Amino acid sequence: MCVGSSEWIICSISMHKRRPKRSRLQLYLLKRRKRREEDMEVRNLKLYMENMSILEENEKLRKKASLLHQENLALLSEFQHRFSCVPLPPLP
């Protein structure tokens, strides 16, 4: 707290100190950096969403491949069973 007149002058000067004004170039660079950061966040989000959709599609294809593999094994087993009972013709 400021008491005397000389202290009051020093106190009022110290209370009203402001940080130095930034130059136009510094403000421009700061805005540009912030804009780049925002652009990177948007790109990052888009890539994340694309990645998630690719992973989802991959899981669907994996399930489909598994079902096709099971069907293939069943058909192969049926084929082997049908033709294992049929005698082969003798060789000439």
Side-chain angles (χ1 to χ4, degrees):
M1 188 87 196
C2 305
V3 180
S5 63
S6 62
E7 289 180 40
W8 184 84
I9 294 172
I10 294 170
C11 186
S12 66
I13 291 172
S14 64
M15 288 176 63
H16 293 290
K17 281 187 178 177
R18 295 182 179 169
R19 61 183 172 173
K21 291 185 178 181
R22 293 183 174 161
S23 70
R24 288 184 183 187
L25 177 61
Q26 286 174 324
L27 290 173
Y28 170 76
L29 293 174
L30 185 64
K31 287 179 184 178
R32 195 166 106 188
R33 183 176 1 146
K34 190 166 187 163
R35 197 175 316 124
R36 281 184 183 165
E37 288 172 359
E38 290 170 355
D39 289 346
M40 290 299 287
E41 286 180 21
V42 169
R43 285 186 204 157
N44 192 24
L45 182 60
K46 285 180 181 179
L47 288 172
Y48 173 78
M49 296 301 289
E50 184 180 350
N51 196 20
M52 293 306 291
S53 67
I54 289 171
L55 289 172
E56 190 176 306
E57 182 68 22
N58 192 17
E59 188 61 33
K60 288 179 187 177
L61 291 172
R62 186 177 285 119
K63 287 178 182 177
K64 197 173 192 177
S66 177
L67 290 173
L68 288 172
H69 180 66
Q70 288 175 358
E71 183 183 355
N72 191 22
L73 290 176
L75 289 172
L76 183 60
S77 175
E78 184 182 334
F79 178 79
Q80 288 173 342
H81 179 68
R82 278 191 186 178
F83 291 104
S84 65
C85 298
V86 177
L88 293 175
L91 293 172

